[in-house]
Amino acid sequence: MISDYKVKRLATKSRQTGAPLSAAAINRPLALLRHLLHLAHEEWGVIASIPTVRLEDEPEGRLRWLTPEEANRLLATASESRNPDLVDLIELSLFTGLRQSEALELTWDRVDRSRGVLLLEVTKSGRRRQVPLNETADAVLARRGPKDSGLVLGSSNWDRFRSAWERAVTRAKLTDLHWHDLRHTFASWAVQRRVSLYELKELLGHSTLTMVKRYAHLAPEHLRTAAAALDGVLKPASVDSAPSATARRQQADLDRVLTAS
């Protein structure tokens, strides 16, 4: 039944575009089914075994992040915005990796500058999390407060920032940039400065390493270091060692030419 369902989905075309369904559109219902089957077997005990549910290979998602020069342009245009809170929202997000909702809903009672952390009670992963503050993020909070209560950024409504954000992006001449890319930027900058993937997972609040592996290619020096661990496994060939078979053939060919001449 699962195989028949998958075959039908693979043959289905989108009503909007007429193109075949994407791998993601096929995988999401299958992933839900696989999860339910595991529950039925491991927790509910209503099925004896779990049938195999193979998912389609999905292409890697887009990964847009800002260079420092692009980030400076964005902050410069945001500082000229009619919305005085926009530049602080952008800068805090760039240097903490907060999700949009986490930044907008941040309240002063969740800010502990004495310990240098933000205390997030409810996150996307459903876990409490502490977000460490670097100097730049702390400076944003310092110029906005401290205050006894209320929202740090003044409003939790994204619509209050949306048009100002879009104008700032346009004026900074940045293409294909979405708000969530600020979080990608935080992660990309961190990896490029040799933050490990495990540390990045903790900083971003992910439960597994899967979501941060997309940033691994930004730190090729880590792979070079790993490859360098094999240096010295084999001793270099001795200078006085016997010539190779290829070298002997080349010398024999040269001797014949010299003899003929």
Side-chain angles (χ1 to χ4, degrees):
M1 290 173 63
I2 295 172
S3 296
D4 289 344
Y5 169 82
K6 187 174 178 181
V7 168
K8 290 178 181 178
R9 294 285 287 176
L10 287 169
T12 301
K13 294 186 178 180
S14 169
R15 294 179 181 178
Q16 287 77 22
T17 64
L21 294 179
S22 66
I26 294 170
N27 286 343
R28 294 303 169 266
L30 290 173
L32 174 60
L33 175 61
R34 185 165 63 178
H35 175 67
L36 290 172
L37 290 170
H38 276 271
L39 287 177
H41 173 67
E42 297 168 3
E43 296 189 20
W44 305 334
V46 295
I47 58 175
S49 61
I50 305 172
T52 300
V53 181
R54 292 188 176 86
L55 303 182
E56 292 293 293
D57 292 333
E58 295 186 34
E60 291 187 1
R62 65 184 291 281
L63 181 58
R64 171 72 162 99
W65 53 276
L66 294 170
T67 65
E69 188 274 333
E70 287 178 322
N72 282 327
R73 289 197 337 246
L74 178 61
L75 289 171
T77 58
S79 66
E80 300 170 353
S81 172
R82 295 178 184 176
N83 186 329
D85 299 319
L86 177 64
V87 65
D88 288 343
L89 177 59
I90 292 174
E91 193 164 6
L92 185 66
S93 300
L94 276 173
F95 287 92
T96 60
L98 292 176
R99 298 179 177 92
Q100 184 185 97
S101 60
E102 293 171 344
L104 290 175
E105 296 171 8
L106 180 65
T107 54
W108 282 108
D109 62 309
R110 299 287 88 198
V111 176
D112 189 346
R113 291 186 59 214
S114 63
R115 293 177 52 222
V117 295
L118 302 177
L119 308 170
L120 302 184
E121 280 293 318
V122 180
T123 66
K124 186 177 179 181
S125 63
R127 299 183 300 150
R128 291 187 181 93
R129 141 168 163 253
Q130 293 189 9
V131 178
L133 296 170
N134 52 41
E135 291 183 2
T136 307
D138 184 67
V140 174
L141 297 171
R143 66 176 176 253
R144 295 194 64 85
K147 297 179 181 178
D148 294 332
S149 61
L151 293 165
V152 172
L153 276 308
S155 175
S156 60
N157 186 358
W158 171 241
D159 288 337
R160 182 174 173 269
F161 296 93
R162 187 190 305 276
S163 59
W165 158 259
E166 292 172 351
R167 282 194 296 268
V169 170
T170 300
R171 292 185 61 197
K173 298 180 180 179
L174 300 173
T175 58
D176 189 31
L177 183 70
H178 308 309
W179 182 266
H180 195 72
D181 296 329
L182 301 185
R183 185 166 158 88
H184 291 322
T185 299
F186 170 84
S188 300
W189 288 354
V191 170
Q192 289 168 349
R193 285 155 181 78
R194 300 190 177 185
V195 172
S196 71
L197 294 184
Y198 176 80
E199 292 169 325
L200 183 61
K201 176 183 77 72
E202 296 299 307
L203 288 171
L204 294 177
H206 291 306
S207 56
T208 68
L209 284 172
T210 302
M211 291 298 293
V212 298
K213 286 181 179 179
R214 69 176 75 180
Y215 304 107
H217 71 284
L218 297 174
E221 66 274 8
H222 290 181
L223 297 180
R224 285 197 294 270
T225 300
L230 300 182
D231 290 346
V233 170
L234 298 179
K235 294 182 179 180
S238 172
V239 175
D240 297 326
S241 60
S244 66
T246 300
R248 291 196 298 271
R249 287 197 300 271
Q250 291 174 341
Q251 184 61 49
D253 291 341
L254 178 60
D255 290 342
R256 284 195 294 273
V257 171
L258 293 175
T259 301
S261 61

